[in-house]
Amino acid sequence: MLFADHLVLIRGGGDLATGVAHRLHQAGFPQIILELARPLVVRRRVALATAALEGSIEVENLRGVLTHDPAEALTLARLGVLPVYVSPALPDAGWPVRTIVDARMAKRNLDTRIDQAPLVIALGPGFEAGRDCHAVVETMRGHTLGRVIWEGTALPNTGTPGEVAGRAAERVLRAPAAGTVSWEKEIGERVRAGERLGEVAGAPVVAPFDGVIRGLIAAGIEVAAGLKIGDVDPRAGVEACFTISDKALAIGGGVLEAILVHLNQQSRH
C-alpha cells in the first residue's frame, strides 16, 4: 500500500477522532488510537474509544480492538485494524510514528509539542500552528470547518454546541449532580420532551425536546455535576446515531489534506 510505512498516532478516540481515522483508513494509512481506560465518550456507537470499554467496536467499515501490547498494536495497525491502546500520555512503545494527531478535544493544549513527531496536527482551539504543532484543523461548524491552518489558531471555543435544526445548547444532556450514571433508554431510541432517560446519583435526566438519542455516556461511569453525558438530535434520524457525522468527516478531510501536503513537501526536498 502507498502509505503503509506512514504510521499515524491519534490521541483520542471520540466521534471526531473516528472521523479522522475513517478518512485515513480509506486512504491506506496505518493507525494506532490512544485512549483513557474509562473514556467519557458520548457518541459511543460511532467512537473507536468504545473499544476501551467493550473490547472492540465496529463503526461503518472500521474495526477497533482494545490491546495492551505495543507489538500487537503495531501488527494490527499494519493489518488495517484500528488498535485502541490505553495510554493518557505518549507511550515509549518504540512505534515508528510519522504523524501525531491530537484529537482529544480538550479545547486546550494538554501536553502536545511540535517536536513529538515529524508532523504534529491538532484539532480545534487551544493550539497555535507553528508553535505547538505544525498544523491545526478547524472544528467549528460553519464556513471554515475542516480547513487546515499552518499559521495561527482555530476559532476560539464558544462553549455552545453548534446549532442543529434550530437547537444548540439544549441538545446536550448534562449531569444534574455528581455521581454514577444509569440509563433507562438507549442510543437510537426516539423520545418525547420531558421523558425520563435515566439518572445520576438519583437525580433524573429527561429529554429536553422530541427527538432521538444520539449519544449517551457509558452507564456506571462516575461523573462531575455539569459534565456532558448525552446528546439528543431534534432531526429524529435514527441512522445518524450509528454513522460518522458530516462534521467528523470534514475534520478528517482536513487531517488527510495536512498529511498529504506534508508528504508532498518532503518529496520535493
Side-chain angles (χ1 to χ4, degrees):
M1 295 178 70
L2 192 59
F3 305 116
D5 293 329
H6 193 106
L7 179 65
V8 180
L9 192 64
I10 301 181
R11 304 188 71 183
D15 61 305
L16 298 185
T18 301
V20 173
H22 175 77
R23 291 293 199 204
L24 299 186
H25 177 78
Q26 293 295 90
F29 287 90
Q31 304 165 75
I32 295 174
I33 315 299
L34 298 185
E35 250 305 341
L36 303 174
R38 298 283 284 171
L40 302 175
V41 60
V42 168
R43 294 207 63 211
R44 286 181 290 119
R45 303 299 7 128
V46 290
L48 291 165
T50 301
L53 298 167
E54 299 179 3
S56 65
I57 180 73
E58 292 195 13
V59 183
E60 298 191 28
N61 67 328
L62 303 179
R63 181 165 179 260
V65 176
L66 177 65
T67 179
H68 301 286
D69 181 78
E72 182 184 44
L74 185 58
T75 298
L76 290 171
R78 287 171 170 164
L79 291 173
V81 179
L82 280 297
V84 177
Y85 186 86
V86 173
S87 181
L90 280 178
D92 183 14
W95 296 323
V97 176
R98 301 279 296 279
T99 295
I100 291 175
V101 182
D102 189 333
R104 293 174 288 179
M105 300 306 299
K107 311 298 174 65
R108 60 192 178 93
N109 187 352
L110 300 174
D111 57 7
T112 291
R113 301 192 318 272
I114 198 169
D115 62 354
Q116 288 172 331
L119 178 63
V120 178
I121 303 168
L123 306 188
F127 304 92
E128 182 179 342
R131 185 189 68 181
D132 304 312
C133 53
H134 297 96
V136 172
V137 176
E138 182 60 69
T139 59
M140 180 80 74
R141 285 189 183 274
H143 184 69
T144 58
L145 175 64
R147 287 184 179 267
V148 182
I149 301 161
W150 295 99
E151 290 185 14
T153 64
L155 294 171
N157 179 30
T158 64
T160 302
E163 187 175 301
V164 173
R167 305 283 187 173
E170 64 268 40
R171 291 193 294 114
V172 174
L173 304 175
R174 297 196 179 274
T180 303
V181 179
S182 64
W183 298 113
E184 299 162 20
K185 301 290 185 180
E186 296 182 357
I187 293 171
E189 286 194 54
R190 289 191 171 89
V191 293
R192 295 287 188 181
E195 187 172 355
R196 182 183 168 99
L197 308 180
E199 63 179 43
V200 180
V205 179
V206 301
F209 47 76
D210 293 358
V212 65
I213 299 173
R214 195 163 177 244
L216 295 173
I217 201 169
I221 285 185
E222 294 279 336
V223 298
L227 184 75
K228 179 179 177 179
I229 58 172
D231 182 1
V232 178
D233 191 332
R235 295 169 294 186
V238 173
E239 69 284 348
C241 304
F242 304 100
T243 53
I244 300 168
S245 71
D246 55 344
K247 178 177 179 178
L249 291 175
I251 293 166
V255 172
L256 178 58
E257 176 190 327
I259 294 174
L260 295 178
V261 168
H262 171 74
L263 289 176
N264 279 326
Q265 290 173 340
Q266 293 298 305
S267 68
R268 284 198 290 269
H269 295 323

